[in-house]
Amino acid sequence: MYWNIRSTCILIVLFPLLQSSKVRYDGVQDWLESQTYQHNYQQRTLKDYDYTKYHKVDEISRWMNLVTEQYKDVVTQHVLGMTYENQTINYLKIGEKSGKPKKVIWMDCGIHAREWISPAFCQWFVKELLENYKTDEKISRFFQNMDFYVVPLLNMDGYNYTWTENRLWRKSRSPSPVSNCSCFGTDLNRNFDASWNSIGASQNCCSEIFCGSKAESESEVKAVVDLVGRIKNDILCFLTIHSYGQLILMPYGHPNKTAPNHDEHLKLGQNAANAIKQKHGTSYRVGPPSQILYPNSGSSRDWARDIGIEFSYTFELRDNGTYGFELPADQIQPTCEEAMAGVNTIVEYVHNKHFGSAAAATVALWSTVLASYLSLLVLVQ
Amino acid sequence: MRWTLWIVLGLFPLVDGHPTLKTNQNSLETADAALNHQSGSLNSVLHLDDTEKAALEPTRVDPAFPMKELNTSHYPATRAARVAQHYLNYHHGSPSKWFMVHDIKKASSEDIPEVGTKYHIQFSVQEQATKEIVGNCTAEILFRQTEEQSAPEVNCTCDDLLKIKTSDADHALYLHIKHQPEPVAGTDIPDSQGNIPKEMEPFWYLGGIGASFIMWQQSNESTLYNMVHVHSVKQLNSENDLLAFDYVVLLHDMVSQEIIHWHMQVAWNPTQGVKVTQCNLLPKDTMKQPSAEKHKI
């Protein structure tokens, strides 16, 4: 029995060393070197990607493939659904791989076609996570405990239309559901089943806030609803990115609805706005749209809260109306840096609320170590 | 004893971080402080304290006096302040001077029976070219209760408005335009990527100042206007000392999310300022949309 404990202890000692990435095995050196060469080649291609420029639909799709290949240890790409024009909407699932279901942070970008800074931010956000998860303690913990589901470009049809025909297009590109109306497109952010068509939306198919013939009439919306609905119990926070206005919006758009955790939502949003301001001095206002912007209904943020996701925010990025939707590319970096600070505040809070802070985790681990040591000591004696 | 040492050494790599939480300079401290105050509980929750709750009160109505204090970050105040901004720009703006609301310090409103609602706003503005902030602006904005759209009546003054000195820049620009062999012309300002060639910037500003007149005239309590695009600008012949330009501008109303096309003619010289000499709404569909990147790869 003494010998068994000894061999067990040997295994315990050696196990973490075996897991370390610094271990090299004889006989696979050549294979490793060839992998490194390919890795570096792909890294050069992804390294060439300019995050301070606006990118077209196909460039974003190519970038998603590159990211998935380059960071295959932590990234997988999946189909979310289809657009009206039959484009495949993809999302990235980012985090340490695990056999069991993990908690989720959801982020979608580009739901409104003309808000170009939005998909630019999703790309920036992914880049920041992936370039830092090995060295940044916080991100490393996030990757262990959670998966980030990122949809870099939801309204692909509309976004493509802003590159080819009309820079200020907002809606989807589905044709009108009514025969006597020749306009195209439904406002995807009025099409969710959240007090749908009650206020701040229009049944005129030519309106920019046309909410569709019924809730979830748009395939892009259905795609989000299907996946988010399936994993809603695992989603800690739902983030949807827009521009412009410099706002952090929380539920609800409807003036008669207040979220049960309204105060906590507001305080967290204000903390995020403070983090944003610290970065480059940019002021963001925080609150429900029914108070700080305009009453509305059918938004993805409100729908997410309705189905039970505890925290749900819309970010309206820069600016305040100087350039509006046509934000100069030289503002991509500062806008993304400050938005990152805001998002990070929220992600860290919801993570720590669920998993405990790093300090608490460390204390828990040391306690486990001590307890194991003491019990082994007792056994060995 | 030796085995004890092996065990401790072996388990050491599994433990990362250290028992003290690093705090950053940024406001994560606020969240962390709130978390740490809950003695060791993992279910810490952010709470608003009483001062913060009081600040969030939307209105406080004194029955003896109809004035209603407004929350400065709520939309009634921001919409009224925007109208004051449009008014200020039309009366004091130029191709070198364009103001945006910077911060709303205080706001209140009063309902005047059978007349409308009057807003009182104290705010600061920032000039876009110089980035200078003019701190003390006050405005009264009256939105009349009318069936058809009527321009809000505005009284607006700012201390230190004159500290923004742009007359040299304006005069230099005026002379520069006067001496050009060809009339000024431009399209799609900014372009899709948000770029504005340096030489077109004054015409973007001038378009914004002219558009401010339209936005002021078209505003009510249910609108929030910005100029988001200059579709075209063309210098017109003029015989007097005013320069004249023909513009098509695109206005964005945040509330309806509509893009509204306006045609206007604008006259300007440095001493007389900017005047909109005529303007008309263009139908949505007959207008060519802001062009996308058709010619670039």
Side-chain angles (χ1 to χ4, degrees):
Chain A
M1 201 178 102
Y2 184 76
W3 177 255
N4 282 340
I5 290 172
R6 239 162 103 159
S7 44
T8 312
C9 290
I10 291 167
L11 281 171
I12 292 170
V13 165
L14 289 176
F15 190 68
L17 295 173
L18 288 172
Q19 292 234 297
S20 162
S21 60
K22 292 180 190 132
V23 172
R24 291 283 181 263
Y25 298 95
D26 287 334
V28 295
Q29 196 63 28
D30 290 344
W31 174 82
L32 273 172
E33 277 174 6
S34 72
Q35 291 301 299
T36 312
Y37 173 76
Q38 277 184 40
H39 173 92
N40 285 342
Y41 175 77
Q42 281 150 9
Q43 193 166 24
R44 275 203 294 277
T45 316
L46 195 60
K47 262 196 149 51
D48 291 338
Y49 195 79
D50 193 345
Y51 293 92
T52 63
K53 257 180 60 187
Y54 294 111
H55 292 278
K56 299 184 203 168
V57 180
D58 57 347
E59 290 168 3
I60 296 174
S61 301
R62 265 202 299 277
W63 167 81
M64 289 175 76
N65 292 338
L66 281 174
V67 161
T68 308
E69 181 51 41
Q70 160 89 2
Y71 293 98
K72 56 163 78 76
D73 290 347
V74 287
V75 180
T76 47
Q77 187 171 185
H78 308 264
V79 173
L80 186 76
M82 304 299 284
T83 67
Y84 171 76
E85 290 174 356
N86 256 329
Q87 297 293 311
T88 307
I89 310 167
N90 287 313
Y91 69 94
L92 300 173
K93 181 177 162 187
I94 306 173
E96 296 285 359
K97 302 203 169 136
S98 164
K100 28 188 211 291
K102 291 165 76 182
K103 291 301 176 189
V104 171
I105 302 288
W106 172 276
M107 182 185 290
D108 66 74
C109 292
I111 191 172
H112 286 141
R114 58 194 181 197
E115 299 166 10
W116 281 16
I117 188 64
S118 164
F121 175 67
C122 264
Q123 291 164 72
W124 183 278
F125 179 71
V126 166
K127 164 193 70 101
E128 283 295 309
L129 289 180
L130 294 175
E131 285 182 358
N132 295 296
Y133 80 94
K134 285 188 171 158
T135 51
D136 185 303
E137 219 174 283
K138 271 185 193 151
I139 302 179
S140 169
R141 273 199 85 213
F142 295 163
F143 272 34
Q144 280 163 37
N145 294 330
M146 306 185 299
D147 285 328
F148 292 86
Y149 281 50
V150 181
V151 188
L153 183 59
L154 182 61
N155 183 5
M156 296 169 76
D157 295 352
Y159 186 72
N160 187 50
Y161 197 71
T162 62
W163 279 85
T164 56
E165 293 298 326
N166 180 353
R167 175 62 179 83
L168 294 178
W169 189 258
R170 168 182 168 90
K171 302 186 283 182
S172 68
R173 288 296 302 164
S174 56
S176 161
V178 288
S179 52
N180 62 352
C181 186
S182 60
C183 297
F184 276 72
T186 294
D187 184 344
L188 297 178
N189 207 35
R190 300 289 185 277
N191 190 239
F192 283 79
D193 191 9
S195 309
W196 179 81
N197 193 25
S198 58
I199 193 170
S202 173
Q203 273 289 289
N204 176 348
C205 95
C206 292
S207 166
E208 294 282 14
I209 52 175
F210 173 55
C211 55
S213 52
K214 59 181 170 119
E216 299 175 14
S217 60
E218 303 305 287
S219 55
E220 296 87 346
V221 168
K222 199 79 181 62
V224 172
V225 166
D226 285 348
L227 177 57
V228 172
R230 221 168 42 239
I231 63 170
K232 65 183 181 187
N233 294 327
D234 293 325
I235 302 180
L236 297 180
C237 183
F238 182 94
L239 299 170
T240 180
I241 312 297
H242 292 243
S243 76
Y244 60 94
Q246 293 172 199
L247 305 167
I248 298 175
L249 301 170
M250 46 183 270
Y252 283 95
H254 199 289
N256 297 345
K257 278 186 87 165
T258 307
N261 60 347
H262 173 93
D263 285 2
E264 194 186 2
H265 242 115
L266 183 60
K267 180 83 188 199
L268 179 56
Q270 284 168 346
N271 283 353
N274 290 340
I276 289 173
K277 199 173 178 84
Q278 299 250 339
K279 205 74 195 171
H280 298 297
T282 313
S283 297
Y284 273 57
R285 285 183 293 133
V286 183
S290 57
Q291 289 176 1
I292 68 167
L293 186 58
Y294 44 63
N296 72 356
S297 57
S299 69
S300 61
R301 171 208 60 243
D302 287 353
W303 172 81
R305 188 67 196 90
D306 276 347
I307 61 166
I309 295 171
E310 198 184 354
F311 293 95
S312 187
Y313 291 99
T314 306
F315 273 68
E316 297 276 359
L317 303 181
R318 285 192 196 183
D319 59 17
N320 240 335
T322 308
Y323 290 91
F325 302 114
E326 295 173 342
L327 192 71
D330 64 13
Q331 286 199 44
I332 293 177
Q333 178 158 349
T335 305
C336 290
E337 285 171 343
E338 68 199 13
M340 191 80 202
V343 167
N344 207 38
T345 304
I346 292 170
V347 169
E348 186 174 346
Y349 177 80
V350 305
H351 169 274
N352 289 354
K353 186 176 184 193
H354 194 87
F355 294 103
S357 64
T362 307
V363 165
L365 267 166
W366 277 108
S367 310
T368 317
V369 169
L370 199 61
S372 318
Y373 160 65
L374 287 171
S375 51
L376 273 166
L377 207 60
V378 165
L379 283 167
V380 162
Q381 295 299 318
Chain B
M1 211 40 209
R2 257 178 31 192
W3 290 110
T4 320
L5 199 62
W6 275 107
I7 292 161
V8 171
L9 283 172
L11 289 167
F12 199 76
L14 293 174
V15 178
D16 62 14
H18 14 119
T20 55
L21 185 69
K22 286 188 209 134
T23 51
N24 309 358
Q25 283 309 300
N26 69 22
S27 64
L28 287 170
E29 281 171 0
T30 324
D32 282 333
L35 286 169
N36 290 335
H37 280 147
Q38 309 286 323
S39 43
S41 156
L42 295 181
N43 293 318
S44 308
V45 155
L46 293 172
H47 291 297
L48 299 172
D49 60 35
D50 289 334
T51 329
E52 287 164 320
K53 280 188 181 154
L56 290 171
E57 289 298 310
T59 60
R60 275 186 278 124
V61 184
D62 181 344
F65 199 71
M67 202 72 111
K68 216 163 47 172
E69 195 77 26
L70 298 176
N71 188 311
T72 56
S73 70
H74 287 193
Y75 68 74
T78 49
R79 290 178 195 179
R82 185 68 58 86
V83 174
Q85 172 193 304
H86 295 322
Y87 178 90
L88 199 68
N89 275 319
Y90 186 56
H91 287 86
H92 298 280
S94 81
S96 323
K97 193 166 25 175
W98 192 4
F99 297 103
M100 296 276 170
V101 172
H102 176 72
D103 182 42
I104 301 171
K105 298 174 189 183
K106 212 162 138 54
S108 57
S109 71
E110 52 178 316
D111 289 321
I112 304 169
E114 290 166 24
V115 175
T117 309
K118 186 187 270 196
Y119 290 77
H120 304 260
I121 313 277
Q122 285 175 34
F123 61 109
S124 59
V125 293
Q126 183 173 40
E127 198 285 308
Q128 297 301 289
T130 59
K131 298 292 176 223
E132 280 202 63
I133 294 175
V134 177
N136 258 339
C137 294
T138 51
E140 276 180 8
I141 304 108
L142 172 62
F143 293 107
R144 285 192 180 272
Q145 263 168 7
T146 52
E147 277 192 29
E148 306 235 321
Q149 168 63 30
S150 64
E153 290 165 32
V154 183
N155 270 324
C156 179
T157 51
C158 296
D159 299 346
D160 294 336
L161 201 60
L162 295 172
K163 80 173 182 186
I164 315 267
K165 293 188 188 319
T166 54
S167 59
D168 288 352
D170 284 338
H171 275 102
L173 176 71
Y174 178 81
L175 290 171
H176 174 80
I177 297 171
K178 272 272 190 200
H179 292 134
Q180 288 305 295
E182 296 294 325
V184 170
T187 55
D188 289 325
I189 307 162
D191 68 12
S192 282
Q193 315 284 320
N195 297 319
I196 300 176
K198 201 80 185 135
E199 64 274 14
M200 294 311 296
E201 222 173 69
F203 305 101
W204 179 50
Y205 274 45
L206 184 61
I209 303 306
S212 294
F213 171 76
I214 299 172
M215 293 190 283
W216 162 35
Q217 297 290 300
Q218 295 299 310
S219 288
N220 54 54
E221 284 170 286
S222 302
T223 60
L224 188 73
Y225 279 111
N226 278 307
M227 182 185 80
V228 285
H229 194 79
V230 172
H231 177 77
S232 63
V233 54
K234 217 169 44 193
Q235 186 176 359
L236 300 168
N237 286 329
S238 69
E239 271 136 31
N240 55 25
D241 62 354
L242 286 164
L243 294 173
F245 300 89
D246 187 285
Y247 274 93
V248 173
V249 293
L250 273 53
L251 310 181
H252 171 236
D253 169 34
M254 185 69 87
V255 180
S256 65
Q257 293 292 347
E258 294 295 329
I259 303 292
I260 304 149
H261 299 62
W262 278 87
H263 168 245
M264 66 181 181
Q265 289 189 355
V266 174
W268 170 69
N269 75 24
T271 38
Q272 292 178 51
V274 180
K275 281 282 171 296
V276 172
T277 50
Q278 53 169 285
C279 62
N280 55 290
L281 180 65
L282 294 170
K284 191 176 176 179
D285 298 328
T286 57
M287 199 49 233
K288 188 177 179 298
Q289 303 299 333
S291 81
E293 296 285 301
K294 271 189 175 149
H295 307 294
K296 293 183 188 174
I297 294 162

